[in-house]
Amino acid sequence: MTEPLLIGKGEHIIWLRPDKANRHGLIAGATGTGKTVTLQLLAEQFSRIGVPVFMADVKGDLAGISQPGGENAKVAERVQELDLESLGFRYDKNPVSFWDIGGALGHPARTTVSEMGPMLLARLLGLNDTQEGVLNICFHIADENGLLLLDLKDLRAILNFASEQADALRTTVGHVSQASVGAILRRLLRFEQAGGETLFGEPALDLSDLMQTDIDGRGVVNILAAESLIQNRTLYASFLLWLLSELFEQLPEVGDPDKPKFVLFFDEAHLLFDDAPEVLIERIEQVVRLIRSKGVGVYFVTQNPLDIPDTVLGQLGNRVQHALRAFTPRDQKAVRAAAQTFRQNPAIDTESAITALGVGEALVSVLDEDGIPTPVERVLIAPPGSQLGPISADERAALMRQSLVSGVYDQAIDRVSAYETLKTMAEQAARAAEQRQDLPSPPPAATRRASKSRSSNRQTPMEAMLKSTLRSVGSQLGRQLVRGALGSLFGGSRRR
């Protein structure tokens, strides 16, 4: 078996088994109790056994994983207290790639409108059911006709096209209300003004660039700069869910490998579920349940276990519970709920212990070799061997220049997509209409014949586009773009 990951030491030494790490996990606890240190500890150990990692840095203090530790007196004290050197502890740095949707603190992390899909985009824009229905029609038109929706101008173009052709579309794909289109366009404008347009465009993030190892075989730790991003909570949540969906749709089945192919840490995990419609939560639960067979481990990091829906919480086999405070009835309920999720240990009053844990101390239960949760134990969490806290701007810039993806995403490109295609077709249709107006009027009989001839042989580009749009899904000859559980594209047509 691959080398296990050290979590901490109590009555026993607690290790996380790599062959059970794709069964997902939970790191929970109140602010200031040590969740970030636990996250960094696990991330660097995954890296050292060759597992690439993705994590969102919502406080700006995870970049230190790129530098060796050794300067922190409290870390040195914990190393000595737990005799960690005898267990192979060492101070060391880890390979990193920095990402940033805005492109300021990392390589630009982009996706396309087509790949985001209508479900996540509707949540991102805060659309109601009627508006989401119109958005689905627009994606249906684009998908059936192979129109690429790469950025927001493409989305505007398809919305305007659907509005203009609303009468013809009504009997085939549904009613497109101009009021709904106007509302969506206003939401898009607001989204752009908040800086969200940087999320969409090309080059779009290629998942293989997140799943790399360095020359020494260590997994690259991908850090998403999220200090500013977290202010737009829905954008943050939508990006993480898009990433999870993409992994689910693209990766092949591998069963239960001896170590994960990829591990994600989702900090502030409650944002993934806040205000999400029930259908989306159901699909998230489905993805979380099934993605482990793709070799992907998902670790939710949150303050309160109640932030995670029960259907998702039940999938999290490895758990690290830091201290919770019980000041309010909801806090007390959370303490009871957290205690009940552990396999009980007769030697520990779990409910009382949760409120009495110190900083850097936690209740831990992991999956054993048979996949059964171990009885909960109270442990002191081991410190990471990398630096705790942020790094300087110069250090970040140097690491970005040395990154395996340096220069790949930094320059945006704008290729021909729905906006350009629809604009060209509209211009061609307008020119054709002008030419018909300039023709001399033929005799009545000739007019009828010419009209018939034009109808059958001189179809305008816009008429051809509309005719194609109105075809049923079953009549398409392999051109339709296929969407997965959360609405993202998958299959050979996704990168066109």
Side-chain angles (χ1 to χ4, degrees), residues 1 20 30 69 76 93 120 141 151 174 185 228-229 242-244 267 287 306 322 326 376 396 402 404 408 419 495:
M1 187 185 79
K20 297 295 184 289
K93 61 183 180 179
L120 292 180
I141 294 170
D151 52 28
L185 290 172
S228 299
L229 179 61
W242 165 80
L243 178 59
L244 184 64
D267 205 353
V287 170
L306 293 181
H322 290 274
V376 62
R396 182 184 292 267
Q402 300 163 12
L404 295 174
V408 176
Y419 170 79
R495 303 276 183 196

Side-chain angles (χ1 to χ4, degrees), residues 450-459:
S451 176
K452 182 177 180 181
S453 174
R454 283 196 299 271
S455 175
S456 59
N457 300 322
R458 298 183 59 189
Q459 192 175 54

